[in-house]
Amino acid sequence: MAACYSEQASSSSENVTKRSSAGAAKPVCWQHKLFGKHLSQCSQLNQQDTKPCDESGMLVDEDGRPTCEVIGVYFSFMNPSTASDDFTHQLLDLYTNVNSSTSHAENDRDAESTSRGVERRKKFEVVHVVLWYDAADVLDFEEKFRAYVSDLPWLTVPNLDYTRNIRLAQRYCIKIGVPSLVLLDGSNGSVITRGGAERIVSDPSGAEFPWKPPHPKAALEDGPLLPCGARDSNEPMLHEELRHCFKGVYFSAHWCPPCKAFTPLLVDTYQRIRERGHDFEVIFVSSDMSEESYNVYIETMPWLRIPFSQEERRRKLERALDVQAIPTLAILDPRDNIITLDGRGELIEDPEGLNFPWTSRLVNILTEKYATSLHDAPAVILFVEGDDCEIQFAESVLTPAAQAYRKDRPDYDPNFDDPHDILHFYIALDCQTSDILREFIGLDDAVPLLTAIDIPRGIYVVMEDGAEITVDSVQQFVDGFRNDKLPIRKTAAVHKTAKSDHAST
């Protein structure tokens, strides 16, 4: 299976450089993009024939409509198995309770749907993702996997689809050895809560299922926002005054070592982002044990805060933003909708805040995180100096080409599609990440320099010397790269490998 996957991955990077000549295919639903088309029914695993979900209608019907209201993505670990086994029993009880209990209103809706010839939607379905941990003594993984899940009434990602299991665990930031339940809206795949396991413990019968959190706006506007000790102004603010701002809701505590290490980084990036002209405000939500500790901590902060005395307001924000641990930095748009719950990770990766507000963008600054992805997918990269005016120039000439490329892929969804199957667009600044990439590829240090790099294929192309970089010339360059019409060069890494192989023979 691993060999099969590698073969597909290597060919996918070649496919994204060429326009498809085939006719418009039926759009792939988000369920299949996320889980694949070959989910199995646990109870049928010991049978000879296990049908894929697109044929058996497990998550979507033949018309592409969702067959359930809520999908629970359940991550369990084979070893240590005790915690997972205990939680599996609790989840099984919840699964039974939720799917057997319907209100009068729901019965009326079901009767109406039946009269229109529409099959009733199941309230709750589980997709089981089994992860292996400390399994050195296991002799037959497939046999143990089947024995582990065969008595369960829900669906599972096949054990052999190892890559998908790992990607799902990474996507939802699953902790090793800790059983976790992520609830998704069955209609669009948006996360309802990442803390399903904790919710089951507090509400085992599922009386409040699916535990949909309140919108953060309700808690943010429930009283004044006070200034912290290092803020320029001592005036409190109302939520309404921040209606044009991006917001970072920062959950932290003075007693927490990772929090105390992250706070100075956040202060620095906060100031850089504001100096660049962005409307950005941070709101501190404390998890301190005492008001005394809270008062000491806020002296280092230049932003706003929720008063320590308003514990219920702080708890409401924790629920609204699905906080599982501290420090957490949630980034909200001006309407208080969530952009990302991993603002901390984005900031550590991008301390200058050059990609702020860290939304899904067509053109990004090439940071270390994005540089790592170059090993899996091709990219068009414009190398420039780091001045703001040059960054703006780079965005202005790359963005039209990126937009044109996406128009050729109308069904692409950055939330669910594999980023390895798409051409990326980056701006590379004068920094260590760019220097390492130049050396790896074999590029000189000229700027501006427009190049297209496909590391999986071991090739790259460069815009010819003396050519002016404009919107039109970038578009022509991208079209030439995608259609293999430009002179291709081998990367320096490929040359080194070839020389090494020749020397060894």
Side-chain angles (χ1 to χ4, degrees), residues 11-314:
S11 65
S12 68
S13 63
E14 184 171 358
N15 290 338
V16 299
T17 67
K18 300 182 179 179
R19 297 180 189 273
S20 174
S21 58
K26 183 179 178 181
V28 179
C29 62
W30 70 263
Q31 293 92 335
H32 290 175
K33 290 179 178 180
L34 185 62
F35 299 116
K37 294 185 178 181
H38 292 81
L39 290 176
S40 301
Q41 187 76 43
C42 291
S43 59
Q44 297 176 2
L45 275 176
N46 289 324
Q47 301 178 13
Q48 291 296 319
D49 181 28
T50 303
K51 296 180 179 179
C53 70
D54 58 333
E55 295 177 5
S56 62
M58 293 181 184
L59 291 179
V60 292
D61 63 20
E62 60 184 8
D63 295 321
R65 292 183 298 237
T67 59
C68 57
E69 297 177 17
V70 177
I71 297 174
V73 190
Y74 174 37
F75 297 87
S76 71
F77 294 81
M78 292 292 286
N79 291 299
S81 60
T82 304
S84 291
D85 287 346
D86 291 344
F87 182 74
T88 299
H89 293 309
Q90 293 176 296
L91 179 57
L92 188 56
D93 290 340
L94 176 78
Y95 183 84
T96 303
N97 288 342
V98 168
N99 286 320
S100 62
S101 63
T102 55
S103 65
H104 292 300
E106 289 170 331
N107 286 329
D108 291 341
R109 286 199 300 271
D110 294 339
E112 182 182 350
S113 297
T114 302
S115 68
R116 298 199 311 266
V118 178
E119 188 175 347
R120 174 193 169 189
R121 288 206 301 171
K122 192 173 185 178
K123 195 165 186 179
F124 182 37
E125 187 55 88
V126 171
V127 176
H128 202 148
V129 180
V130 178
L131 302 170
W132 296 86
Y133 176 68
D134 192 22
D137 297 333
V138 177
L139 298 178
D140 190 330
F141 285 89
E142 185 63 20
E143 180 182 353
K144 186 164 185 179
F145 167 75
R146 289 172 181 266
Y148 181 65
V149 302
S150 59
D151 291 333
L152 300 174
W154 47 64
L155 310 176
T156 182
V157 177
N159 180 54
L160 294 177
D161 199 350
Y162 175 80
T163 302
R164 188 175 301 278
N165 284 330
I166 295 300
R167 285 185 180 174
L168 284 167
Q170 292 172 341
R171 178 187 181 93
Y172 297 111
C173 303
I174 302 304
K175 295 180 180 178
I176 295 176
V178 180
S180 302
L181 178 67
V182 179
L183 298 185
L184 308 180
D185 186 317
S187 62
N188 57 27
S190 61
V191 175
I192 298 173
T193 179
R194 288 173 170 78
E198 293 80 1
R199 302 295 185 272
I200 288 180
V201 172
S202 59
D203 179 23
S205 66
E208 302 297 326
F209 182 87
W211 309 294
K212 188 173 182 178
H215 196 279
K217 182 176 182 178
L220 288 172
E221 63 185 6
D222 189 19
L225 299 165
L226 303 182
C228 291
R231 190 172 178 83
D232 293 338
S233 170
N234 291 323
E235 294 296 321
M237 297 187 72
L238 296 176
H239 173 266
E240 175 64 18
E241 298 176 76
L242 303 178
R243 62 186 178 277
H244 301 303
C245 289
F246 290 94
K247 304 169 192 73
V249 186
Y250 181 38
F251 298 86
S252 182
H254 187 253
W255 54 262
C256 167
C259 297
K260 293 176 75 173
F262 179 68
T263 298
L265 302 179
L266 177 56
V267 170
D268 188 50
T269 302
Y270 167 81
Q271 292 169 341
R272 291 174 186 267
I273 290 171
R274 287 166 64 94
E275 288 169 0
R276 203 171 286 116
H278 290 287
D279 288 328
F280 178 48
E281 192 53 80
V282 170
I283 300 166
F284 171 55
V285 184
S286 174
S287 296
D288 284 298
M289 304 295 187
S290 69
E291 189 164 9
E292 181 181 4
S293 177
Y294 167 86
N295 288 335
V296 170
Y297 198 25
I298 61 174
E299 287 302 310
T300 65
M301 301 177 181
W303 43 69
L304 299 171
R305 59 188 171 93
I306 302 290
F308 183 80
S309 59
Q310 296 182 351
E311 182 175 1
E312 178 54 33
R313 187 182 180 192
R314 291 187 282 125

